[in-house]
Amino acid sequence: MRWFKGVVLAIILLVVLLLGILFAVNNQQAMPLDLIWVELPPASLSLWLLISLACGVILGMLAMTGIYLRLRTLLTRAQRHNQQQRKELDRLRTQEFKEAP
């Protein structure tokens, strides 16, 4: 079943890649990008869309960094607490054996 998931994922990735190449080939006309405060030089539409995708991915990763670090800290704290609880449980188990007649 694992190989089937890999094959399906590879097919989806290939289709998306082919659609992206087709989009880039069909949108070669140069056009300037006019932001409110600055006008960028003319470039192909596919280039502007790839740049905006890259910027969005980077901003998304930066936005998730805080959440990731907070969850990583909570996981480390929980693992440390779990280890302390295991030590306490082992200590109580050995103490129970020592007290048995």
Side-chain angles (χ1 to χ4, degrees), residues 57-75:
V57 167
I58 290 170
L59 288 174
M61 289 172 65
L62 287 174
M64 291 301 295
T65 301
I67 295 171
Y68 173 77
L69 291 175
R70 182 173 53 93
L71 289 174
R72 187 77 174 158
T73 304
L74 287 173
L75 177 63

Side-chain angles (χ1 to χ4, degrees), residues 10-34:
I11 291 172
I12 291 172
L13 183 63
L14 186 63
V15 168
V16 169
L17 182 65
L18 289 175
L19 286 174
I21 291 171
L22 182 66
F23 177 78
V25 167
N26 287 333
N27 290 296
Q28 290 295 324
Q29 65 272 19
M31 54 187 313
L33 185 61
D34 185 19

Side-chain angles (χ1 to χ4, degrees), residues 34-69:
D34 185 19
L35 302 174
I36 295 173
W37 55 89
V38 67
E39 185 171 330
L40 299 174
S44 68
L45 179 62
S46 58
L47 179 65
W48 287 127
L49 288 174
L50 286 175
I51 290 172
S52 67
L53 175 68
C55 290
V57 167
I58 290 170
L59 288 174
M61 289 172 65
L62 287 174
M64 291 301 295
T65 301
I67 295 171
Y68 173 77
L69 291 175

Side-chain angles (χ1 to χ4, degrees), residues 1-17:
M1 194 63 173
R2 189 173 185 183
W3 64 270
F4 182 71
K5 183 179 176 183
V7 169
V8 170
L9 185 62
I11 291 172
I12 291 172
L13 183 63
L14 186 63
V15 168
V16 169
L17 182 65

